[in-house]
Amino acid sequence: MALRFDGRIAGFGTASGVRVVVGMWPRSPLGSFADVMLERADGHRVLLAPSDAVARFVSETYTFDEVRIVPVRYSRRSRVISVEAGPFAARFTVGGISPLGRLLRIVPRRLATSPAWLRLIDPVARILVPGARTAGSAGGGRREYYGVTSARGITAITATWEGHDLGYLTRLHPPVRFGFGSAPAAPHIVEVVTTIIERA
């Protein structure tokens, strides 16, 4: 069985050393939801999820040291996206289509989101975007495929964690360690179809 999540992922680093990945999923088997994966400078990995069902599914797919169930909301006004998730809050500004995004647009969407294609190009993706992967393990014998169809740079952020300012925008480095791959080091928001293939 194939589970398909259609939405956006934003990834960025901060001057404090906290690295953040925000998933915004208007279309998914779990309904419309957003979640936040955060890795502190000391390597502690936190999932902020809006429900028990989302927390259970995501923590079965990725690895965290801590899971919190909190209201997670996001909104977009023009090029500014706002996210609130319990102890985390952020506003980030989305720029134009990046060079990576222009490259991705060459591939037709149907092909770009196909697991067979993503399995084939995974070795190339690792070279072009260090840390990124298009195919890998989703745990429990499942396989996961990231089909990115567009990418825009993130140009500025304001963010807080547990009331503390996280500082200015930086590269997402070192890579986050939630799953088999990381978001690009350069701060980006990508349009993506994530497909998880369950065991037969």
Side-chain angles (χ1 to χ4, degrees):
M1 180 174 66
L3 303 176
R4 185 179 169 106
F5 295 74
D6 193 341
R8 294 178 175 85
I9 296 175
F12 55 87
T14 67
S16 67
V18 173
R19 286 99 68 212
V20 180
V21 176
V22 180
M24 295 160 276
W25 306 105
R27 295 170 296 280
S28 89
L30 301 173
S32 177
F33 74 94
D35 64 335
V36 176
M37 304 179 193
L38 179 147
E39 185 168 350
R40 299 186 324 212
D42 63 3
H44 188 78
R45 295 160 296 184
V46 182
L47 169 65
L48 304 174
S51 68
D52 288 331
V54 170
R56 182 169 55 253
F57 184 88
V58 176
S59 60
E60 287 174 353
T61 306
Y62 305 103
T63 302
F64 303 96
D65 303 298
E66 181 182 355
V67 177
R68 301 191 196 183
I69 297 173
V70 297
V72 183
R73 306 181 187 88
Y74 72 96
S75 62
R76 179 167 185 167
R77 179 172 295 180
S78 186
R79 292 199 169 191
V80 177
I81 295 177
S82 300
V83 181
E84 294 182 1
F88 175 78
R91 297 179 72 232
F92 51 92
T93 304
V94 178
I97 296 174
S98 67
L100 173 62
R102 287 193 288 273
L103 180 63
L104 291 166
R105 285 194 165 187
I106 296 172
V107 183
R109 179 181 172 87
R110 186 167 180 175
L111 178 61
T113 60
S114 162
W117 168 256
L118 295 168
R119 190 164 48 244
L120 179 67
I121 67 166
D122 182 58
V124 178
R126 297 188 210 189
I127 295 169
L128 291 178
V129 187
R133 298 280 306 277
T134 58
S137 171
R142 301 175 302 165
R143 300 294 295 173
E144 184 171 18
Y145 303 91
Y146 289 117
V148 178
T149 58
S150 183
R152 293 177 180 270
I154 295 173
T155 59
I157 63 157
T158 57
T160 59
W161 170 250
E162 296 182 331
H164 300 288
D165 187 350
L166 296 181
Y168 55 82
L169 178 69
T170 67
R171 291 171 62 81
L172 198 152
H173 183 81
V176 289
R177 301 170 302 115
F178 308 122
F180 63 83
S182 177
H188 266 84
I189 182 167
V190 300
E191 295 183 12
V192 62
V193 174
T194 298
T195 303
I196 295 178
I197 308 293
E198 300 275 10
R199 286 181 295 182

